[in-house]
Coordinates of all heavy atoms in Angstrom, one line a residue:
M25 N 11.2 -32.8 27.5 CA 11.8 -32.2 28.7 C 12.6 -31.0 28.2 O 13.3 -31.0 27.2 CB 12.7 -33.2 29.3 CG 13.4 -32.6 30.5 SD 14.6 -33.8 31.3 CE 13.6 -35.2 31.6
T26 N 12.4 -29.9 28.9 CA 13.1 -28.7 28.5 C 14.5 -28.7 29.0 O 14.9 -29.5 29.8 CB 12.4 -27.4 29.1 OG1 12.4 -27.5 30.5 CG2 11.0 -27.4 28.6
I27 N 15.3 -27.7 28.6 CA 16.7 -27.6 29.0 C 16.7 -27.3 30.5 O 17.6 -27.8 31.3 CB 17.5 -26.6 28.2 CG1 17.6 -27.2 26.8 CG2 18.8 -26.3 28.8 CD1 18.2 -26.2 25.8
G28 N 15.8 -26.5 31.0 CA 15.8 -26.1 32.4 C 15.5 -27.3 33.3 O 16.0 -27.5 34.3
G29 N 14.5 -28.1 32.8 CA 14.2 -29.3 33.5 C 15.4 -30.3 33.6 O 15.6 -31.0 34.6
S30 N 16.1 -30.4 32.5 CA 17.3 -31.3 32.5 C 18.3 -30.8 33.4 O 18.9 -31.6 34.1 CB 17.8 -31.3 31.0 OG 16.9 -31.9 30.2
V31 N 18.6 -29.5 33.4 CA 19.6 -29.0 34.4 C 19.1 -29.2 35.8 O 20.0 -29.5 36.7 CB 19.8 -27.5 34.1 CG1 20.7 -26.9 35.1 CG2 20.5 -27.3 32.7
A32 N 17.8 -29.1 36.1 CA 17.3 -29.3 37.4 C 17.5 -30.8 37.8 O 17.9 -31.1 39.0 CB 15.9 -28.9 37.5
L33 N 17.3 -31.7 36.9 CA 17.5 -33.1 37.2 C 19.0 -33.4 37.5 O 19.4 -34.2 38.4 CB 17.1 -34.0 36.1 CG 15.6 -34.4 36.0 CD1 15.3 -35.2 34.8 CD2 15.2 -35.0 37.2
I34 N 19.9 -32.8 36.7 CA 21.3 -32.9 37.0 C 21.7 -32.4 38.3 O 22.5 -33.1 39.1 CB 22.1 -32.3 35.8 CG1 21.9 -33.0 34.5 CG2 23.6 -32.2 36.2 CD1 22.4 -32.2 33.3
I35 N 21.2 -31.3 38.7 CA 21.5 -30.7 40.0 C 21.0 -31.5 41.1 O 21.7 -31.8 42.1 CB 21.0 -29.2 40.1 CG1 21.7 -28.3 39.1 CG2 21.0 -28.7 41.5 CD1 21.2 -26.9 38.9
I36 N 19.7 -32.0 41.0 CA 19.2 -32.8 42.1 C 19.9 -34.1 42.2 O 20.2 -34.6 43.3 CB 17.7 -33.0 41.8 CG1 16.9 -31.7 42.0 CG2 17.1 -34.1 42.8 CD1 15.5 -31.8 41.5
G37 N 20.2 -34.7 41.1 CA 21.0 -35.9 41.1 C 22.4 -35.8 41.7 O 22.8 -36.6 42.4
A38 N 23.1 -34.7 41.4 CA 24.4 -34.4 42.0 C 24.3 -34.2 43.5 O 25.1 -34.7 44.3 CB 25.0 -33.2 41.3
I39 N 23.2 -33.5 43.9 CA 23.1 -33.4 45.4 C 22.8 -34.7 46.0 O 23.4 -35.0 47.1 CB 21.9 -32.4 45.7 CG1 22.3 -31.0 45.2 CG2 21.5 -32.4 47.1 CD1 21.1 -30.0 45.3
L40 N 22.0 -35.5 45.5 CA 21.7 -36.9 46.1 C 23.0 -37.8 46.0 O 23.2 -38.5 46.9 CB 20.6 -37.6 45.3 CG 19.2 -37.0 45.6 CD1 18.1 -37.7 44.8 CD2 18.8 -37.1 47.1
A41 N 23.7 -37.7 44.9 CA 24.9 -38.6 44.8 C 26.1 -38.2 45.6 O 26.8 -39.0 46.2 CB 25.3 -38.6 43.3
Y42 N 26.3 -36.9 45.8 CA 27.5 -36.4 46.5 C 27.3 -35.7 47.8 O 28.3 -35.7 48.6 CB 28.3 -35.5 45.5 CG 28.6 -36.1 44.2 CD1 28.1 -35.6 43.0 CD2 29.4 -37.3 44.2 CE1 28.4 -36.2 41.8 CE2 29.7 -37.9 43.0 CZ 29.2 -37.4 41.8 OH 29.5 -37.9 40.6
A43 N 26.1 -35.2 48.1 CA 26.0 -34.4 49.3 C 25.1 -35.0 50.4 O 25.1 -34.6 51.5 CB 25.4 -33.0 49.0
V44 N 24.4 -36.0 50.1 CA 23.4 -36.6 51.1 C 24.1 -37.9 51.7 O 24.5 -38.8 50.9 CB 22.1 -37.0 50.4 CG1 21.2 -37.7 51.4 CG2 21.4 -35.7 49.9
N45 N 24.1 -37.9 53.0 CA 24.6 -39.1 53.7 C 23.6 -39.9 54.4 O 23.9 -40.8 55.1 CB 25.7 -38.6 54.7 CG 26.9 -38.1 54.1 OD1 27.3 -38.5 53.0 ND2 27.5 -37.1 54.7
Y46 N 22.3 -39.6 54.1 CA 21.2 -40.4 54.7 C 21.0 -41.7 54.0 O 21.2 -41.8 52.8 CB 19.9 -39.5 54.6 CG 18.8 -40.0 55.5 CD1 18.8 -39.8 56.8 CD2 17.8 -40.7 54.9 CE1 17.8 -40.3 57.6 CE2 16.7 -41.2 55.7 CZ 16.7 -41.0 57.0 OH 15.7 -41.5 57.8
E47 N 20.6 -42.7 54.8 CA 20.5 -44.1 54.2 C 19.1 -44.6 54.5 O 18.5 -44.5 55.6 CB 21.5 -45.0 54.8 CG 22.9 -44.8 54.5 CD 23.8 -45.8 55.0 OE1 23.4 -46.9 55.4 OE2 25.0 -45.5 55.1
F48 N 18.4 -45.1 53.4 CA 17.1 -45.7 53.5 C 17.4 -47.2 53.4 O 18.4 -47.7 52.8 CB 16.2 -45.4 52.3 CG 15.7 -44.0 52.4 CD1 16.1 -43.0 51.5 CD2 14.8 -43.6 53.4 CE1 15.6 -41.7 51.5 CE2 14.3 -42.3 53.4 CZ 14.7 -41.4 52.5
S49 N 16.5 -48.0 54.0 CA 16.6 -49.5 53.9 C 16.1 -49.9 52.5 O 15.0 -49.6 52.2 CB 15.9 -50.2 55.0 OG 14.5 -49.9 54.9
G50 N 16.9 -50.5 51.7 CA 16.5 -50.9 50.4 C 16.7 -49.9 49.2 O 16.5 -50.3 48.1
I51 N 17.1 -48.7 49.5 CA 17.2 -47.7 48.5 C 18.6 -47.1 48.6 O 19.0 -46.6 49.7 CB 16.2 -46.6 48.6 CG1 14.8 -47.1 48.4 CG2 16.5 -45.5 47.6 CD1 13.7 -46.1 48.6
D52 N 19.4 -47.1 47.5 CA 20.7 -46.5 47.5 C 20.6 -45.1 46.9 O 20.3 -44.9 45.7 CB 21.6 -47.4 46.6 CG 23.1 -46.9 46.7 OD1 23.4 -46.0 47.5 OD2 23.9 -47.4 45.9
I53 N 20.7 -44.1 47.8 CA 20.5 -42.7 47.4 C 21.5 -42.3 46.4 O 21.2 -41.5 45.4 CB 20.6 -41.8 48.7 CG1 19.5 -42.1 49.6 CG2 20.6 -40.3 48.3 CD1 18.1 -41.7 49.1
R54 N 22.7 -42.8 46.5 CA 23.8 -42.4 45.5 C 23.4 -42.9 44.1 O 23.6 -42.2 43.1 CB 25.1 -42.9 45.9 CG 25.6 -42.2 47.2 CD 26.9 -42.8 47.7 NE 27.0 -42.4 49.1 CZ 28.0 -41.6 49.5 NH1 28.9 -41.2 48.7 NH2 28.0 -41.3 50.8
L55 N 22.9 -44.1 44.0 CA 22.5 -44.7 42.7 C 21.3 -43.9 42.1 O 21.3 -43.6 40.9 CB 22.1 -46.2 42.9 CG 21.7 -46.9 41.6 CD1 22.9 -46.9 40.6 CD2 21.2 -48.3 41.9
V56 N 20.4 -43.5 43.0 CA 19.3 -42.7 42.5 C 19.8 -41.4 42.0 O 19.3 -40.9 40.9 CB 18.2 -42.5 43.6 CG1 17.2 -41.4 43.2 CG2 17.6 -43.8 44.0
G57 N 20.8 -40.8 42.6 CA 21.4 -39.5 42.2 C 22.1 -39.7 40.8 O 21.9 -38.8 39.9
V58 N 22.8 -40.8 40.7 CA 23.5 -41.0 39.4 C 22.5 -41.2 38.3 O 22.6 -40.7 37.2 CB 24.4 -42.2 39.5 CG1 25.0 -42.7 38.2 CG2 25.6 -41.9 40.5
I59 N 21.4 -42.0 38.6 CA 20.3 -42.2 37.5 C 19.7 -40.9 37.1 O 19.4 -40.6 35.9 CB 19.3 -43.2 38.1 CG1 19.9 -44.6 38.2 CG2 18.1 -43.2 37.2 CD1 19.1 -45.6 38.9
L60 N 19.4 -40.0 38.1 CA 18.9 -38.7 37.8 C 19.8 -37.8 36.9 O 19.4 -37.1 36.0 CB 18.5 -37.9 39.1 CG 17.2 -38.4 39.8 CD1 17.1 -37.7 41.1 CD2 16.0 -38.3 38.9
M61 N 21.1 -37.9 37.3 CA 22.1 -37.1 36.5 C 22.1 -37.7 35.0 O 22.2 -36.9 34.1 CB 23.5 -37.2 37.1 CG 23.6 -36.3 38.4 SD 25.3 -36.1 38.9 CE 25.7 -37.8 39.3
I62 N 22.1 -39.0 34.9 CA 22.2 -39.5 33.5 C 20.9 -39.2 32.7 O 21.0 -38.8 31.6 CB 22.3 -41.1 33.6 CG1 23.7 -41.4 34.1 CG2 22.1 -41.7 32.2 CD1 24.0 -42.9 34.4
G63 N 19.7 -39.2 33.4 CA 18.5 -38.8 32.7 C 18.5 -37.3 32.4 O 18.0 -37.0 31.3
G64 N 19.1 -36.5 33.2 CA 19.2 -35.1 32.9 C 20.1 -34.8 31.8 O 19.8 -34.0 30.9
L65 N 21.2 -35.6 31.7 CA 22.2 -35.4 30.6 C 21.5 -35.8 29.2 O 21.7 -35.1 28.2 CB 23.4 -36.2 30.8 CG 24.4 -35.6 31.8 CD1 25.5 -36.6 32.1 CD2 24.9 -34.3 31.3
I66 N 20.8 -36.9 29.3 CA 20.1 -37.4 28.0 C 19.0 -36.3 27.6 O 18.9 -36.0 26.4 CB 19.5 -38.8 28.3 CG1 20.5 -39.8 28.4 CG2 18.5 -39.1 27.1 CD1 20.0 -41.2 28.9
G67 N 18.3 -35.8 28.6 CA 17.3 -34.8 28.3 C 17.9 -33.5 27.7 O 17.4 -32.9 26.8
L68 N 19.1 -33.1 28.3 CA 19.8 -32.0 27.8 C 20.3 -32.1 26.4 O 20.1 -31.2 25.6 CB 21.0 -31.7 28.8 CG 21.8 -30.4 28.5 CD1 20.9 -29.2 28.8 CD2 23.0 -30.4 29.4
V69 N 20.8 -33.3 26.1 CA 21.3 -33.5 24.7 C 20.1 -33.5 23.7 O 20.2 -32.9 22.7 CB 22.0 -34.9 24.6 CG1 22.3 -35.3 23.2 CG2 23.3 -34.8 25.4
I70 N 19.0 -34.1 24.1 CA 17.8 -34.1 23.2 C 17.3 -32.7 23.0 O 16.9 -32.3 21.9 CB 16.7 -35.1 23.8 CG1 17.2 -36.5 23.7 CG2 15.4 -34.9 23.1 CD1 16.3 -37.5 24.4
G71 N 17.2 -31.9 24.1 CA 16.8 -30.5 24.0 C 17.7 -29.7 23.1 O 17.2 -28.9 22.3
I72 N 19.0 -29.8 23.2 CA 19.9 -29.1 22.4 C 19.7 -29.5 20.9 O 19.7 -28.7 20.0 CB 21.3 -29.2 22.9 CG1 21.5 -28.5 24.2 CG2 22.3 -28.7 21.9 CD1 22.8 -28.7 24.9
V73 N 19.6 -30.8 20.7 CA 19.4 -31.3 19.3 C 18.1 -30.7 18.7 O 18.1 -30.3 17.5 CB 19.4 -32.8 19.2 CG1 18.9 -33.4 17.9 CG2 20.8 -33.4 19.5
R74 N 17.0 -30.7 19.5 CA 15.8 -30.1 19.0 C 15.9 -28.6 18.6 O 15.4 -28.2 17.6 CB 14.7 -30.3 20.0 CG 14.2 -31.7 20.1 CD 13.1 -31.9 21.2 NE 12.0 -31.0 20.8 CZ 11.1 -30.6 21.7 NH1 11.2 -30.9 22.9 NH2 10.1 -29.8 21.3
I75 N 16.7 -27.9 19.4 CA 16.8 -26.5 19.2 C 17.6 -26.3 17.9 O 17.3 -25.4 17.0 CB 17.5 -25.8 20.4 CG1 16.5 -25.7 21.5 CG2 18.0 -24.4 20.0 CD1 17.1 -25.1 22.8
V76 N 18.7 -27.0 17.7 CA 19.6 -26.9 16.6 C 18.8 -27.3 15.3 O 18.9 -26.6 14.3 CB 20.9 -27.8 16.7 CG1 21.6 -27.8 15.4 CG2 21.7 -27.2 17.8
S77 N 18.0 -28.4 15.4 CA 17.3 -28.8 14.2 C 16.2 -27.8 13.8 O 15.8 -27.6 12.7 CB 16.7 -30.2 14.4 OG 15.7 -30.2 15.4
A78 N 15.6 -27.2 14.8 CA 14.5 -26.2 14.6 C 15.1 -25.0 13.9 O 14.4 -24.4 13.1 CB 13.8 -25.8 15.9
R79 N 16.3 -24.6 14.3 CA 16.9 -23.4 13.7 C 17.3 -23.7 12.2 O 17.2 -22.8 11.4 CB 18.1 -23.0 14.5 CG 17.7 -22.3 15.8 CD 18.9 -21.8 16.5 NE 18.5 -21.2 17.8 CZ 19.3 -20.8 18.7 NH1 20.6 -20.8 18.5 NH2 18.9 -20.3 19.8
R80 N 17.7 -24.9 11.9 CA 18.1 -25.2 10.6 C 16.8 -25.2 9.7 O 16.9 -24.8 8.5 CB 18.7 -26.6 10.5 CG 20.1 -26.5 11.0 CD 20.7 -27.9 10.8 NE 22.0 -28.0 11.4 CZ 22.6 -29.1 11.7 NH1 22.1 -30.2 11.4 NH2 23.8 -29.1 12.3
S81 N 15.7 -25.7 10.1 CA 14.6 -25.9 9.3 C 13.9 -24.6 9.0 O 13.1 -24.4 8.0 CB 13.6 -26.9 9.9 OG 13.1 -26.4 11.1
V82 N 14.1 -23.6 9.9 CA 13.5 -22.3 9.6 C 14.0 -21.6 8.4 O 13.3 -21.0 7.6 CB 13.7 -21.3 10.9 CG1 13.2 -19.9 10.6 CG2 12.9 -21.9 12.0
G83 N 15.3 -21.8 8.1 CA 15.9 -21.1 7.0 C 15.5 -21.8 5.7 O 15.5 -21.1 4.6
R84 N 15.0 -23.0 5.7 CA 14.6 -23.7 4.4 C 13.2 -23.4 4.0 O 12.8 -23.5 2.9 CB 14.7 -25.2 4.6 CG 16.2 -25.6 4.9 CD 16.2 -27.1 5.1 NE 17.5 -27.5 5.5 CZ 17.8 -28.7 6.0 NH1 16.8 -29.5 6.3 NH2 19.0 -29.0 6.4
R85 N 12.4 -23.0 4.9 CA 11.0 -22.7 4.6 C 10.8 -21.4 3.9 O 11.5 -20.4 4.2 CB 10.1 -22.6 5.9 CG 9.8 -24.0 6.5 CD 8.8 -23.9 7.6 NE 9.6 -24.2 8.8 CZ 9.2 -23.8 10.0 NH1 8.1 -23.0 10.1 NH2 9.9 -24.1 11.1
P86 N 9.9 -21.3 2.9 CA 9.7 -20.0 2.2 C 8.9 -19.1 3.2 O 8.2 -19.6 4.1 CB 8.8 -20.4 1.0 CG 8.2 -21.7 1.4 CD 9.2 -22.4 2.3
A87 N 9.0 -17.8 2.9 CA 8.3 -16.9 3.7 C 6.7 -17.0 3.5 O 6.3 -17.3 2.4 CB 8.7 -15.5 3.4
P88 N 6.0 -16.9 4.6 CA 4.5 -17.0 4.4 C 3.9 -15.9 3.6 O 4.4 -14.7 3.7 CB 4.0 -17.0 5.8 CG 5.0 -16.3 6.6 CD 6.3 -16.6 5.9
V89 N 2.9 -16.2 2.8 CA 2.3 -15.2 2.0 C 1.2 -14.5 2.9 O 0.3 -15.2 3.4 CB 1.7 -15.8 0.7 CG1 0.9 -14.7 -0.1 CG2 2.8 -16.4 -0.1
V90 N 1.2 -13.2 3.0 CA 0.2 -12.5 3.8 C -0.7 -11.7 2.8 O -0.2 -11.0 2.0 CB 0.9 -11.5 4.8 CG1 -0.2 -10.8 5.5 CG2 1.8 -12.3 5.7
R91 N -2.0 -12.0 2.9 CA -2.9 -11.3 2.0 C -3.7 -10.4 2.9 O -4.4 -10.8 3.8 CB -3.8 -12.3 1.4 CG -4.8 -11.8 0.4 CD -5.5 -12.9 -0.2 NE -6.7 -12.3 -0.8 CZ -7.8 -13.0 -1.2 NH1 -7.7 -14.3 -1.1 NH2 -8.8 -12.5 -1.6
E92 N -3.6 -9.1 2.6 CA -4.4 -8.1 3.3 C -5.5 -7.6 2.5 O -5.4 -7.3 1.3 CB -3.5 -6.9 3.7 CG -2.5 -7.3 4.7 CD -1.7 -6.0 5.2 OE1 -2.2 -4.9 5.1 OE2 -0.6 -6.2 5.6
E93 N -6.7 -7.5 3.1 CA -7.9 -7.0 2.4 C -8.4 -5.9 3.3 O -8.5 -6.0 4.5 CB -8.9 -8.1 2.2 CG -8.4 -9.1 1.2 CD -9.5 -10.2 1.0 OE1 -10.7 -10.0 1.4 OE2 -9.2 -11.1 0.3
Y94 N -8.9 -4.8 2.7 CA -9.5 -3.7 3.4 C -10.9 -3.5 2.9 O -11.1 -3.2 1.7 CB -8.6 -2.5 3.2 CG -9.2 -1.3 4.0 CD1 -9.1 -1.2 5.3 CD2 -9.8 -0.2 3.2 CE1 -9.6 -0.1 6.0 CE2 -10.3 0.9 3.9 CZ -10.2 0.9 5.3 OH -10.8 2.0 5.9
Y95 N -11.8 -3.6 3.7 CA -13.2 -3.3 3.4 C -13.6 -2.0 4.0 O -13.6 -1.9 5.2 CB -14.1 -4.5 3.8 CG -13.8 -5.8 3.2 CD1 -13.1 -6.7 3.9 CD2 -14.2 -6.1 1.9 CE1 -12.8 -8.0 3.4 CE2 -13.9 -7.3 1.3 CZ -13.2 -8.2 2.1 OH -12.9 -9.4 1.5
E96 N -14.0 -1.1 3.2 CA -14.4 0.2 3.7 C -15.9 0.1 4.1 O -16.7 -0.2 3.3 CB -14.2 1.2 2.6 CG -13.7 2.5 3.1 CD -13.4 3.5 2.1 OE1 -12.3 3.3 1.4 OE2 -14.1 4.5 1.9
D97 N -16.2 0.4 5.3 CA -17.5 0.5 5.7 C -18.1 1.9 5.6 O -17.4 2.8 5.2 CB -17.7 -0.1 7.1 CG -16.9 0.7 8.2 OD1 -16.1 1.6 7.7 OD2 -17.0 0.4 9.4
G98 N -19.3 2.0 6.0 CA -20.0 3.3 5.8 C -19.3 4.4 6.7 O -19.2 5.6 6.4
Y99 N -18.9 4.0 7.9 CA -18.3 5.0 8.8 C -17.0 5.6 8.2 O -16.8 6.8 8.2 CB -18.0 4.3 10.2 CG -17.2 5.2 11.1 CD1 -17.9 6.3 11.8 CD2 -15.9 5.1 11.3 CE1 -17.2 7.1 12.6 CE2 -15.2 5.9 12.2 CZ -15.9 6.9 12.8 OH -15.2 7.7 13.7
E100 N -16.1 4.8 7.7 CA -14.9 5.3 7.1 C -15.2 6.1 5.9 O -14.5 7.1 5.7 CB -14.0 4.1 6.7 CG -13.4 3.4 7.8 CD -12.3 4.2 8.5 OE1 -11.6 5.0 7.9 OE2 -12.2 4.1 9.8
A101 N -16.1 5.8 5.1 CA -16.5 6.6 3.9 C -17.0 7.9 4.3 O -16.7 9.0 3.7 CB -17.5 5.8 3.0
R102 N -17.8 8.0 5.4 CA -18.4 9.3 5.8 C -17.2 10.1 6.4 O -17.2 11.3 6.3 CB -19.5 9.0 6.9 CG -20.8 8.5 6.3 CD -21.9 8.6 7.3 NE -21.5 7.8 8.5 CZ -21.9 6.5 8.6 NH1 -22.6 5.9 7.7 NH2 -21.5 5.8 9.7
R103 N -16.3 9.5 7.1 CA -15.2 10.2 7.8 C -14.3 10.8 6.7 O -13.8 11.9 6.9 CB -14.4 9.3 8.7 CG -13.6 10.0 9.7 CD -12.9 9.1 10.5 NE -11.6 8.9 9.9 CZ -10.7 8.0 10.1 NH1 -11.0 7.1 11.1 NH2 -9.6 7.9 9.5
R104 N -14.1 10.2 5.6 CA -13.3 10.7 4.6 C -14.0 11.7 3.7 O -13.4 12.4 2.9 CB -12.7 9.5 3.7 CG -11.7 8.7 4.5 CD -11.2 7.7 3.6 NE -10.2 6.8 4.4 CZ -9.7 5.8 3.9 NH1 -9.9 5.4 2.6 NH2 -8.8 5.1 4.6
G105 N -15.3 11.7 3.8 CA -16.0 12.7 3.0 C -16.5 12.2 1.7 O -16.8 13.0 0.8
Y106 N -16.6 10.9 1.5 CA -17.1 10.4 0.2 C -18.6 10.4 0.1 O -19.4 10.2 0.9 CB -16.6 8.9 0.0 CG -15.2 8.8 -0.1 CD1 -14.4 7.9 0.6 CD2 -14.5 9.5 -1.1 CE1 -13.1 7.7 0.5 CE2 -13.1 9.3 -1.2 CZ -12.4 8.5 -0.4 OH -11.1 8.3 -0.5

């Protein structure tokens, strides 16, 4: 879950928990809102931990070795006058 998705869950959960006064039979809307907010908070913490750990591991890796090869074809040789 991304950080944006987590924030969206927190917002939707807060709206359901605090702003909706509609009642379903057998479903407690406030409890559903609280569950969504808790799920969003857990997802937010996991997302932040993943970002922090990814930034730490980048500094430990050696730089990639890039090998460039240039093959001169007939067109380049004629253009240069060889």
